[in-house]
Amino acid sequence: NSGLIPGSKWQNAWRAFLSLYSGTDIKELALAEGLRAAVGIAIPIAIGLLANHLVWGNLCAFGTFWVLSCDVGGAYRQKAINLAASSLAIIGAFIFGGWLIESVTNYIIGVFLWVSSAALIGVAGNAAAQAGLVSSTIVVTSVVLFVPSEFSVRLLLCLIGCCWALLLSLALWPLRPYSPLFKALSASCGKLADLADAFWSGTGTPKR
């Protein structure tokens, strides 16, 4: 019977570990998303600081943050479509903001039209609503984002930030505990845990 005790402890510990990483409603996912955002934002800022263009690095980091904010989860294909569409909306909002700063009239009318349209598009779902909210924020704050002489450079930096965010979300950070791969691994590890439990149970039984 003494052999059953360590087996049970290891069994319980292993199952607790599996339940932590194979559950579909884990709160720890927010930690992974936060780490992804921290890495995505910190690297452009660090590059801008080293290149003595901190403002440019910050703008690129903003582009990354805007796209990552539109990540509402879902299947990989759906996420790719949502993030690509959000990136286009963000770039469009950035270009539209360049027109707004030409006059006060443009700004008032443009903000009203964009925010109204974004609110209507939001009925299409969470991803559309999030993209509308983020792009509306860009349009509203366009007066502080633009320098006319640097418009093309800042647009390029924003585009780079969006591409960096897409790379992080779709290529470098694709695995999640709710992915099919992790589900398959958790099922296999569960079977191995059952075999280990049978082994420890059998060690205390004569002729087994």
Side-chain angles (χ1 to χ4, degrees), residues 39-129:
V39 171
I41 293 172
I43 289 180
I45 292 177
I47 294 175
L49 187 61
L50 293 174
N52 201 26
H53 284 288
L54 182 58
V55 174
W56 290 6
N58 287 340
L59 185 58
C60 187
F62 269 122
T64 304
F65 174 73
W66 290 331
V67 176
L68 293 180
S69 298
C70 297
D71 187 357
V72 294
Y76 185 86
R77 179 175 178 273
Q78 190 63 40
K79 177 187 288 191
I81 293 174
N82 291 339
L83 289 181
S86 299
S87 298
L88 292 176
I90 288 169
I91 295 299
F94 198 89
I95 296 174
F96 186 68
W99 171 76
L100 295 185
I101 62 173
E102 293 181 0
S103 69
V104 176
T105 303
N106 286 356
Y107 182 79
I108 295 174
I109 296 176
V111 168
F112 175 78
L113 292 176
W114 189 280
V115 173
S116 300
S117 302
L120 293 175
I121 293 174
V123 301
N126 291 338

